[in-house]
């Protein structure tokens, strides 16, 4: 049973913000909601001249400026659908480490320190180690991938990411013969992440996600370091996040600090919280409803009370040609 809390900050057109409500319900059960307000730090410095309208400049790291020079622009595009305004993509977020409301990540993620950043690679790999972010991504040419992002809460956006195929990075670290899954982990740092020190004890930090190795090797799966022609905004998972466009948004884990090659299917955050509602696969599928709402349609942001901008959800979020073959023989009703 679900208790729905009215929240003034929520978009009225949305009846459902389930991940959020799940945590809200928990807060009624005794966890403290007393969060610590951390105001966003002013961003200084200037980014490259942007290809997109109304893009706020950030504090662009040197390695990103270098990468940008040789970017393969629009390597993948979405035909006939407009790109979500930067403002919406950076102010309507899920990033529970910075709070449960859609506006919390933009308000609070200024406290995240993204430089220096390193990524631990371990498990079934030939080249385990702790890699500095800039070294880790050095061999790969940056690509722009304009992808749909479909949240399990039934809203969606179109976002121009900048990043690299995950496969390129995995090959570099040499997965061993026992590696069958890839597990990803977000930074755990209660000092800079107010959501980790407030009462949301329900999430067993750090946030973790996983993919089957063949899914991870699919060319559509990327690690993103930028968006809208600039580096990632902190609230979108700077400096390194996963983007798997054929799966619900919660698979696209933010601010990654660890990538592990493992033999067994790893436990993941949302599956652990509510296994009847969120599965390991989480492929976008309009014919398999969430237990509490339909997945047949979605609100494409920006969406308002008078123009809800509702559209049909596509199988595998419109990427069936590229990924359907990964799931032949798998019952997608059972493996949701
Ligand atoms: N570490 C971490 N990663 C996360 C989340 C989160 O709360 N913590 N939320 C997920 C969810 S539910 C969605 S829909 C997307 C949202 O990405 P965006 O804010 O960049 O649009 O991030 C995903 N990655
Ligand atoms: Mo989501």
């Amino acid at each position: 049973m679900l208790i729905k809390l009215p929240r003034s900050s929520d978009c009225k057109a949305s009846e459902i913000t389930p991940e959020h409500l799940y945590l809200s319900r928990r807060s009624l059960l005794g966890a403290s909601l007393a969060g610590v307000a951390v105001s966003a730090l002013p961003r200084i410095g200037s980014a490259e001249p942007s290809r997109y309208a109304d893009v706020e400049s950030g504090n662009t790291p040197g390695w990103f400026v270098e990468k940008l020079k040789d970017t393969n622009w629009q390597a993948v595009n979405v035909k006939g659908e407009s790109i979500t305004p930067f403002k919406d993509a950076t102010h309507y977020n899920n990033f529970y480490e910075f709070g449960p409301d859609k506006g919390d990540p933009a308000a609070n993620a200024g406290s995240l320190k993204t430089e220096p950043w390193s990524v631990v690679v371990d498990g079934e790999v030939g080249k385990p180690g702790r890699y500095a972010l800039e070294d880790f991504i050095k061999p790969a040419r940056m690509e722009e991938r304009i992808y749909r992002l479909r949240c399990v809460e039934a809203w969606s956006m179109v976002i121009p990411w900048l990043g690299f195929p995950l496969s390129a990075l995995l090959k570099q670290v040499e997965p061993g013969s026992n590696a069958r899954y890839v597990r990803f982990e977000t930074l755990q740092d209660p000092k800079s992440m107010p959501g980790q020190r407030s009462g949301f004890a329900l999430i067993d930090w750090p946030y973790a996600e996983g993919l089957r190795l063949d899914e991870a090797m699919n060319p559509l799966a990327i690690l993103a370091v930028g968006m809208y022609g600039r580096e990632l905004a902190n609230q979108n998972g700077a400096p390194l996040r996963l983007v798997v466009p054929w799966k619900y948004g919660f698979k696209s884990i933010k601010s990654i600090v660890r990538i592990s090659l493992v033999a067994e299917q790893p436990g993941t955050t949302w599956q652990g919280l509510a296994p009847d509602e969120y599965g390991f696969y989480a492929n976008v599928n309009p014919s398999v409803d969430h237990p509490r709402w339909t997945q047949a349609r979605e609100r494409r942001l920006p969406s308002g009370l008078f123009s809800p901008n509702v559209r049909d959800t596509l199988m595998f979020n419109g990427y069936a040609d590229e990924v359907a073959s990964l799931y032949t023989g798998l019952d997608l009703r059972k493996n949701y």
Side-chain angles (χ1 to χ4, degrees), residues 19 88-90 92-99 102 105 149-153 155 157 159 161 185-187 193 203 205-209 227 232-233 235-237 241-242 248-256 269-270:
E19 291 158 330
D88 295 282
T90 53
Y92 190 90
N93 301 102
N94 279 334
F95 199 170
Y96 286 95
E97 286 84 338
F98 294 102
K102 292 289 181 280
L149 174 83
R150 170 59 157 83
C151 177
V152 74
E153 296 168 338
W155 52 262
M157 305 196 201
I159 301 183
W161 304 107
E185 201 176 279
T186 293
L187 177 69
M193 296 177 142
I203 290 186
W205 309 108
Y207 193 100
E209 259 307 335
M227 62 196 298
L232 284 176
Q235 58 266 39
N236 296 94
R241 59 119 20 117
L242 182 67
Y248 292 121
F250 66 85
K251 297 296 289 183
S252 291
I253 181 174
K254 297 177 170 182
S255 304
I256 295 167
T269 293
W270 283 100

